[in-house]
Amino acid sequence: MPFVRQPSRIAKAALYTLLIAAPTLHAAPSGEITVWAWDIAADALRKVTPAFNKQYPGVKVVVKELSTDQVYEQALAACAAKGQGLADVVMLENSAAEKYWKQFPQCFATLERFGVQQLNKDFPAFKWAELQAGGHTYALPWDSGPVAVFYRRDLYQQAGIDASKIETWDDFKAAGLKLSKATNGQVKMAMSNHLTGDSWFSMLANQNRCSYFTQSGNDIRITINQPTCVKAMSKLKDLVSSGIIGTGDWDGRLQALKANKAASAVDGAWYEGSIRDTMPEQSGKWGVYLMPAFNKGGLRAANNGGSALAISGTSKSQDAAWAFVKFALATKDSQGIFLKNGLVPSYLPALHSPDVEAAQPYWGGQKIWPTILATQQQIVSVRSTPFMSAASQVVVKVQNDFLQGKYPDAQQALDEAAKQIAQSTGLKIGS
């Protein structure tokens, strides 16, 4: 009988460790999942599905397009019914997400069991802030809204404005006054919705490291009257009072741009698609530069908007739902599809994809996406908290009163806003 060497203790230990460390093989996910999303996001998810099915042929994806309000109304109703009737995957805006985690913590699945923590570094920190609560992650980041200035090259040139020289809001104001003089007041520097919304104030606030609220554990405080917020509100009034900012609803602002009545748009990067789709005849006339800073050399980054995908806590196809969510939001190829649909990726590895780095004909051949998306990791993280909607309603009213001169300064205006938010939410005012 030939001699057979017995494994040593060291060899046995190494073999045992190797077996323990070996990955467990799982069956490929299968089944049918329903996804709730709205507008161009729903269309983009449909366009991603064929590529997903090449990798996961056993999963049938049904994307149901609803309005934003319908998604929220049906999601709230389903969560109140302990998840009954909820889609397997639900699109949520970051700013609206936290009310679900707080009010219905069991309604959506926590994603740690899928290994979501391995993706933490693949998205900018600000995108996670509102998707995590109580030590858990409830959704995977999707698109984002890094703020930029979209401008008409020809209108700037006719007024003698050099976009590369606009580094601060004071520069932006001076350029706007120059534009107004050159056009006899017929062309505004930019358009805003400050009569009905707080997006401009919110952008300026985020840029200036102001947050409507701060949160430590379960303790949420109102901080909208802190000095950084006061500075943001004062800047808004300075710009509006100068006469360079026009105002209108969504369609009105786009029509002003289309009719050459405004030379710029300051908004989240997703606005690029709105400009391109609304005024295709202006291809080649547009360009992009970073939002101005409060002071020379200061931060030129902020966020406006963005969404995520969450998985139902009662879904019977959670593995399939996760496979779809991860494929859609955490692969380079999917982000390229989204970008063409006007959805701005927050998946950081996509920053070096051909779709992002390509010159854009509509924008005069400018490589706009590296410029815009490079600001994402500079954006200050804020928590919207479940009270953001109530706070925004108060801010819009106080903001307009302030712009009309009903408060002597921004501090008193925001003190009043903080007081009203406290009354409506029961939260305390404080840092």
Side-chain angles (χ1 to χ4, degrees):
M1 180 176 181
F3 174 74
V4 178
R5 177 175 291 179
Q6 298 297 314
S8 68
R9 289 184 179 180
I10 295 176
K12 286 181 179 179
L15 180 62
Y16 177 78
T17 300
L18 191 61
L19 290 172
I20 292 298
T24 303
L25 297 178
H26 296 283
S30 61
E32 180 175 319
I33 61 170
T34 300
V35 183
W36 287 351
W38 56 80
D39 199 32
I40 60 173
D43 183 55
L45 290 174
R46 292 191 191 99
K47 290 179 178 177
V48 164
T49 299
F52 169 75
N53 281 141
K54 288 182 179 180
Q55 187 169 338
Y56 296 97
V59 179
K60 180 180 179 181
V61 181
V62 178
V63 179
K64 185 175 182 180
E65 183 174 351
L66 304 170
S67 70
T68 309
D69 288 343
Q70 286 176 324
V71 170
Y72 290 147
E73 289 167 3
Q74 294 186 29
L76 285 171
C79 287
K82 298 183 179 180
Q84 183 175 355
L86 188 66
D88 301 280
V89 177
V90 180
M91 179 181 177
L92 298 170
E93 292 171 297
N94 276 51
S95 60
E98 291 197 86
K99 65 184 176 184
Y100 291 93
W101 323 148
K102 182 175 178 63
Q103 191 173 352
F104 304 106
Q106 305 302 316
C107 192
F108 290 98
T110 55
L111 303 182
E112 282 72 23
R113 82 175 184 86
F114 300 112
V116 69
Q117 56 273 22
Q118 298 173 12
L119 298 174
N120 279 346
K121 294 182 179 179
D122 288 338
F123 296 89
F126 81 92
K127 283 295 297 182
W128 291 111
E130 295 145 326
L131 307 182
Q132 298 173 331
H136 294 292
T137 300
Y138 286 90
L140 196 64
W142 189 353
D143 63 318
S144 61
V147 177
V149 182
F150 305 98
Y151 76 102
R152 281 282 297 276
R153 297 173 185 271
D154 54 336
L155 296 181
Y156 271 42
Q157 185 176 15
Q158 290 167 21
I161 299 169
D162 183 350
S164 68
K165 303 295 184 183
I166 300 176
E167 299 181 30
T168 67
W169 286 113
D170 286 343
D171 295 337
F172 187 82
K173 176 182 171 182
L177 292 172
K178 189 174 184 179
L179 176 70
S180 182
K181 183 177 180 180
T183 62
N184 295 316
Q186 297 302 302
V187 182
K188 297 294 185 181
M189 186 64 173
M191 299 294 291
S192 167
N193 69 335
H194 57 266
L195 295 180
T196 57
D198 63 340
S199 61
W200 262 66
F201 171 64
S202 179
M203 289 186 291
L204 292 169
N206 183 216
Q207 180 186 24
N208 205 41
R209 297 178 172 83
C210 152
S211 177
Y212 287 26
F213 304 96
T214 57
Q215 181 170 351
S216 178
N218 293 322
D219 182 31
I220 301 174
R221 298 294 178 95
I222 300 163
T223 52
I224 199 167
N225 60 340
Q226 296 296 307
T228 53
C229 300
V230 171
K231 186 175 180 181
M233 183 62 80
S234 297
K235 181 56 67 178
L236 177 62
K237 184 171 186 178
D238 179 47
L239 293 169
V240 172
S241 298
S242 71
I244 69 167
I245 307 296
T247 187
D249 60 14
W250 174 267
D251 289 336
R253 297 194 303 276
L254 282 171
Q255 289 308 311
L257 293 168
K258 187 178 180 68
N260 305 323
K261 298 297 184 182
S264 319
V266 183
D267 220 320
W270 42 264
Y271 202 70
E272 179 271 344
S274 297
I275 293 173
R276 187 162 35 86
D277 291 344
T278 304
M279 45 208 89
E281 73 282 0
Q282 294 179 6
S283 179
K285 295 181 178 181
W286 284 85
V288 174
Y289 59 93
L290 297 180
M291 71 182 303
F294 274 76
N295 301 296
K296 191 175 179 63
L299 183 64
R300 301 184 68 176
N303 185 68
N304 181 29
S307 62
L309 292 180
I311 296 173
S312 166
T314 56
S315 169
K316 296 180 180 180
S317 303
Q318 287 189 7
D319 288 344
W322 170 251
F324 179 71
V325 168
K326 185 179 180 183
F327 182 90
L329 307 188
T331 63
K332 290 182 180 180
D333 290 344
S334 295
Q335 305 318 301
I337 293 173
F338 293 149
L339 196 59
K340 291 173 184 175
N341 264 50
L343 293 165
V344 182
S346 55
Y347 181 58
L348 294 175
L351 297 185
H352 304 294
S353 67
D355 291 306
V356 170
E357 294 182 334
Q360 304 295 322
Y362 186 92
W363 299 91
Q366 184 180 352
K367 296 181 178 181
I368 66 169
W369 294 118
T371 299
I372 295 173
L373 298 183
T375 68
Q376 286 191 109
Q377 296 193 72
Q378 302 171 41
I379 294 171
V380 178
S381 296
V382 297
R383 296 291 292 269
S384 290
T385 79
F387 307 100
M388 193 64 181
S389 178
S392 292
Q393 292 177 24
V394 171
V395 169
V396 172
K397 175 65 169 61
V398 171
Q399 168 184 279
N400 280 303
D401 286 345
F402 173 57
L403 294 177
Q404 294 170 21
K406 295 182 180 180
Y407 296 98
D409 55 45
Q411 182 67 66
Q412 290 193 38
L414 291 180
D415 282 343
E416 177 61 24
K419 178 182 175 182
Q420 292 184 26
I421 294 169
Q423 290 171 345
S424 66
T425 64
L427 300 175
K428 294 181 179 180
I429 301 171
S431 58

